[in-house]
């Protein structure tokens, strides 16, 4: 499985949980802490992100940046 | 009024061994959105600016901001913006497009703006076939003023001015603006989308990209309705609004292309 990761800007997250319900891996969750605005922000709680971009697409705050491992390069290495 | 734009995004530029696949579009300013948690407005802002980024038309795009929650759209969209009187965004956009025909002009309105006070401007703009893009945010309520009944409010929906639910005998049926505009010959592309899930966002992006391309070709009015939510006005959590959209709004406002050019996919 391709691995990815998300970086969530906790300062502007408003904890609307739309990314949590859209994550197919159930890898996101609300943090126990609050941010400066008083919202419980979202963070990556499971290390199973595939970089599918679903959470970033529905994020109303545009707070999510998605990274993914490069696909073709990895496959060619495995074949050798 | 001077707006301080704090650069309070500490976006990482790279992660170890991974490629950046998605980040905040450049054309969106660094200002954090003032919208309520879970509001669809900011999603549409972002998708619109992504399209502008991808088509590389930032310096040729002029937007017309509405009256309503999204009145501050010009703080977030880093393109030329013009504020219009309540309901008159399409009339202002008409003027801009006629004076500067080589620019990409879009108007961005909510349902209280486009469907209630601006009905005349909306219909006549589309009837004239003005070569602009109209973005219509339909959340069935007046969000900014405190959740009053709008023309698009569903039958039976409780708002502050219809505490027992909207009654047909008193307030009539919800108006389907997009279906109405389909009848007009000036409308080139009429579509209804939603941003409640990732696929909806992808489809909206395609629709907006097509609309800008049609505008470049000078085809006619493109009308993109976005069925969206209003967590504060509906008195729901954002997650509950997704369910409400799917169960209540979409049966009345079905998603998809209502009018598309001949031969288009």
């Amino acid at each position: 499985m391709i691995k990815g990761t998300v970086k969530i800007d906790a300062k502007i997250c408003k904890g609307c949980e739309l990314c949590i319900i859209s994550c197919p891996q159930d890898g996101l969750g609300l943090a126990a802490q609050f941010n400066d605005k008083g919202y419980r922000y979202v963070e990556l709680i499971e290390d199973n992100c595939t970089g599918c971009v679903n959470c970033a697409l529905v994020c109303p705050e545009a707070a999510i940046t998605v990274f993914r491992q490069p696909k073709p390069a990895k496959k060619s290495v495995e074949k050798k | 009024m001077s707006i301080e734009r704090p650069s309070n995004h500490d976006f990482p530029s790279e992660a170890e061994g991974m490629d950046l696949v998605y980040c905040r579009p450049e054309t969106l300013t660094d200002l954090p959105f003032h919208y309520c948690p879970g509001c669809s407005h900011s999603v549409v802002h972002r998708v619109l600016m992504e399209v502008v980024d991808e088509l590389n038309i930032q310096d040729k795009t002029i937007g017309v901001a509405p009256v309503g929650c999204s009145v501050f759209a010009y703080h977030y969209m880093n393109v030329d913006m013009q504020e219009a009187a309540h309901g008159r965004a399409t009339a202002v956009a008409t003027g801009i497009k006629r004076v500067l025909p080589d620019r990409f002009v879009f108007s961005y309105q909510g349902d209280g703006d486009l469907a209630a006070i601006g009905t005349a401007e909306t219909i006549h703009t589309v009837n004239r076939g003005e070569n602009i893009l109209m973005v219509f945010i339909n959340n069935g309520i007046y969000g900014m003023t405190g959740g009053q009944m709008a023309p698009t409010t569903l039958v039976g929906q409780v708002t502050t001015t219809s505490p027992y639910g909207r009654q047909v005998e008193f307030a009539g049926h919800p108006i389907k603006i997009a279906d109405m505009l389909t009848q007009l010959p000036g409308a080139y592309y009429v579509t209804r989308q939603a941003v409640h899930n990732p696929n909806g966002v992808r489809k909206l992006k395609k629709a907006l990209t097509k609309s800008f391309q049609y505008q470049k070709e000078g085809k006619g009015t493109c009308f993109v309705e976005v069925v969206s939510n209003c967590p504060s006005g509906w008195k729901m959590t954002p997650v509950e609004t997704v369910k409400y959209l799917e169960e209540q709004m979409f049966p009345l406002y079905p998603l998809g292309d209502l009018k598309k050019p001949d031969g288009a996919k």
Side-chain angles (χ1 to χ4, degrees):
Chain A
M1 188 182 284
I2 294 173
K3 249 188 89 52
T5 188
V6 293
K7 305 275 182 193
I8 300 165
D9 192 341
K11 285 179 191 164
I12 61 170
C13 176
K14 288 178 185 162
C16 68
E17 305 182 36
L18 288 179
C19 53
I20 296 177
I21 60 167
S22 71
C23 180
Q25 302 286 327
D26 295 330
L28 297 169
L30 283 180
Q33 298 86 25
F34 298 88
N35 62 11
D36 293 349
K37 289 181 176 175
Y39 296 111
R40 283 178 71 189
Y41 52 88
V42 171
E43 59 183 10
L44 198 62
I45 52 171
E46 302 276 345
D47 188 25
N48 55 6
C49 178
T50 59
C52 70
V53 197
N54 275 8
C55 53
L57 283 176
V58 296
C59 178
E61 305 306 319
I64 303 182
T65 311
V66 186
F67 297 91
R68 195 192 293 146
Q69 274 183 351
K71 195 172 11 176
K74 202 184 166 201
K75 272 186 182 171
S76 62
V77 171
E78 280 173 354
K79 277 176 190 171
K80 283 173 188 173
Chain B
M1 188 175 73
S2 71
I3 295 292
E4 198 183 339
R5 287 186 174 154
S7 183
N8 57 357
H9 304 275
D10 45 359
F11 286 151
S13 55
E14 56 187 23
E16 299 81 38
M18 293 194 188
D19 295 340
L20 178 70
V21 284
Y22 194 91
C23 69
R24 192 179 174 103
E26 282 178 21
T27 318
L28 211 60
T29 60
D30 282 346
L31 197 69
F33 291 110
H34 73 277
Y35 301 113
C36 309
C39 181
S40 299
H41 264 310
S42 32
V43 181
V44 182
H45 284 15
R46 172 170 51 84
V47 176
L48 201 52
M49 289 303 105
E50 272 174 27
V51 172
V52 168
D53 261 359
E54 280 178 13
L55 298 176
N56 203 10
I57 52 171
Q58 185 187 1
D59 50 350
K60 286 191 287 185
T61 306
I62 302 175
V64 182
V67 171
C69 287
S70 49
V71 65
F72 292 131
Y74 44 76
H75 288 166
Y76 308 123
M77 301 182 184
N78 198 4
V79 296
D80 290 336
M81 295 291 285
Q82 170 65 48
E83 178 58 49
H86 200 182
R88 273 79 209 187
T90 52
V92 174
T94 300
I96 294 172
K97 185 71 184 180
R98 288 193 177 188
V99 174
L100 300 166
D102 60 326
R103 304 296 204 280
F104 294 87
V105 180
F106 70 88
S107 69
Y108 184 101
Q109 291 176 285
D111 49 355
D113 197 44
L114 184 144
I117 194 165
T119 320
E121 280 78 6
T122 304
I123 291 175
H124 286 288
T125 304
V126 178
N127 194 36
R128 290 192 304 266
E130 296 295 344
N131 193 18
I132 60 170
L133 162 65
M134 293 160 70
V135 183
F136 171 38
I137 308 297
N138 175 8
N139 57 11
I141 207 164
Y142 280 85
M144 180 196 183
T145 50
Q148 287 86 359
M149 181 169 59
T152 46
T153 300
L154 305 181
V155 174
Q157 188 177 346
V158 175
T159 66
T160 50
T161 48
S162 60
Y164 304 109
R166 179 176 181 152
Q167 290 158 333
V168 175
E169 313 84 62
F170 179 69
H173 289 277
I175 187 166
K176 293 167 139 185
I177 288 279
D179 297 65
M180 206 164 83
L181 298 179
T182 313
Q183 313 296 323
L184 301 173
Y188 189 73
Y189 178 55
V190 180
T191 184
R192 189 185 280 125
Q193 304 293 342
V195 290
H196 64 299
N197 63 17
N199 271 344
V201 179
R202 289 190 183 99
K203 283 181 189 166
L204 173 69
K205 194 170 172 180
K206 272 184 197 165
L208 290 172
T209 309
K210 268 195 269 184
S211 306
F212 274 118
Q213 277 160 358
Y214 292 146
Q215 186 174 149
K216 193 176 185 182
E217 295 160 13
K219 299 287 192 186
T221 311
C222 296
F223 186 88
V224 179
E225 172 175 346
V226 185
V227 183
S228 55
N229 62 0
C230 182
S232 302
W234 294 357
K235 314 277 188 289
M236 292 177 191
T237 66
V239 175
E240 284 167 0
T241 62
V242 172
K243 203 177 162 204
Y244 185 84
L245 276 169
E246 284 169 351
E247 289 177 358
Q248 309 285 334
M249 293 283 274
F250 294 159
L252 183 70
Y253 300 112
L255 305 184
D257 291 347
L258 300 172
K259 183 175 186 177
K260 51 187 176 183
D262 300 331
K265 282 177 187 173

